[in-house]
Every structure is written in structure tokens, then in C-alpha cells.
Amino acid sequence: QVQLQESGPGVVKPSETLSLTCSVSVGSMSGYYWSWIRQPPGKGLEWIGYMFHRGSTSMSYSGSTNYNPSLKSRVFISVDSSKSQFSLTLRSVTAADTAVYYCARYCSGGTCYGYYFDYWGQGTLVTVSS
Amino acid sequence: QSVLTQPPSASGTPGQRVTISCSGSSSNIGSNSVNWYQQFPGTAPKLLIYTNNQRPSGVPDRFSGSKSGTSASLAISGLQSEDEADYYCAAWDDSLNGLWVFGGGTRLTVL
């Protein structure tokens, strides 16, 4: 059973940077995409992006990420498998970025027999306010 | 303003069969598989159906999914009170560099 847990500040000031970490309880992070999804209060789900961890190194920085085009200029996702964690950075936040942020594992092809988000964290509310 | 269109609400009485629709386009549902998620208030979404009609281990067979053209449906038979939740459809969209898109969600009420 894979468990994920988000952590980070609950309040961020406008124009500043939102940073969240997701801790993963799993033997290995390699071979999967690690994703962030958010949900504004009372609204639907919005995919932020994900990063694939190949497993050859403890850090995955580039070449294997995909971001929502509407957020791409402000978002960065990284994976640190040595700590069993992955992170979200969202720059220049506004009130529109107020949401519950979920981390999730994305299962893609192969033995997944499909493409879907199968394990989710409990979510953490981030409010953008001065 | 969601890319995938779902009715905002649906309802049924215990034992009934309820369906929830999800309408998209050729760039998402028309060319990719559909997943469904169930979400209870204050909790994270849970994968309910993947690849149009597959159930993860532990999901009752009362839940079923189908896809035709640019639309998909989630059916719940033998409706139970504990099925009262929000349901979201999702699909990969091939536009731009590609992105995951979700429906706006359907609030299911068991009367």
C-alpha cells in the first residue's frame, strides 16, 4: 500500500512562492510519475503536473516532466528519491491559487494497464492571503 | 468552464440504477481512455474506474463505466446511501503539449 502525505505552509502571501513537499511511503519511487493536483474550495480538480523518476539517480530534475500549460511558466516539480519525497514550487501566487493541493502517484502504461492517478495524499489547504 | 462536461447533480433512491455522463471532444475522450474518481467531503479523490471500464481491486461491481465516441458514463446499480459523494471523470487531452483534464464533478444524492 502506497501512502502519500503533503506538508508545507497553510498561508502564502500574494506574489510569493508556494512550496509543498509530499512524503511517500513506498519501497522505490522509480518507474512512476509523481504528480500534483489541486482543488479550489467548492470547485473541481485541476492537474498541475508530474515528473517521472527513472531511478538511475536520486534526483530527477528535467527531461521527464509535464506541466499544465496554464501554469507552466510558474511551476516546478522535483523528486528526491533518497528522501522518498517530491516537491511542488509555484511562483508569483495570487488568490486564484488558493486551493487544496493533493500529491498523487500516476500509474502509466505497462503493468498499470492504463493511465491513472491511483494513490493520493489527504490534501493540504493553501490559502493565498496577505 | 471544465474541459469535460458533467451534470452538476444526480440523485436516486436506494436500490435504483443511476448514470452520470461525461462529455468531451475528439482531443480527449474521443482519443483517450476515461477514468472516474469518487470523492467524499473533506477527503481525497479515490480511483473508481480506470481505462473506461476497469475497476481497481476493492471497488464493488455495482460500479461500471463505458465510453462511446466523445462521451463516457458511470453507472451505479443497486444504489446505496454510502454512494452519496462527488464523482469526477478525467481524460488525457492531446491539445498543446497534452494535459490531464477533469469534469466539473457531479454531486450524487441518495434520497
Side-chain angles (χ1 to χ4, degrees), chain A:
Chain A
Q1 182 77 354
V2 179
Q3 293 183 318
L4 298 92
Q5 177 69 59
E6 305 87 352
S7 60
V11 180
V12 180
K13 290 183 169 56
S15 80
E16 295 192 345
T17 297
L18 179 161
S19 296
L20 297 174
T21 297
C22 182
S23 299
V24 182
S25 66
V26 67
S28 171
M29 295 183 71
S30 64
Y32 291 96
Y33 289 79
W34 300 94
S35 184
W36 290 94
I37 295 162
R38 68 182 184 179
Q39 185 173 34
K43 296 187 178 180
L45 300 163
E46 179 181 34
W47 175 70
I48 297 172
Y50 49 46
M51 167 169 274
F52 180 71
H53 181 58
R54 293 188 180 88
S56 58
T57 62
S58 65
M59 299 293 287
S60 300
Y61 285 111
S62 62
S64 55
T65 56
N66 201 338
Y67 299 127
N68 188 321
S70 69
L71 298 169
K72 189 174 183 178
S73 63
R74 300 192 291 131
V75 71
F76 180 70
I77 295 174
S78 62
V79 174
D80 186 346
S81 62
S82 68
K83 297 181 180 178
S84 294
Q85 292 179 339
F86 63 106
S87 299
L88 168 70
T89 300
L90 182 65
R91 298 181 296 274
S92 304
V93 299
T94 70
D97 295 310
T98 294
V100 174
Y101 285 76
Y102 295 101
C103 58
R105 190 182 81 167
Y106 175 61
C107 207
S108 173
T111 57
C112 297
Y113 299 107
Y115 305 86
Y116 47 83
F117 302 98
D118 56 354
Y119 292 100
W120 298 61
Q122 66 185 31
T124 186
L125 174 63
V126 178
T127 301
V128 178
S129 174
S130 55

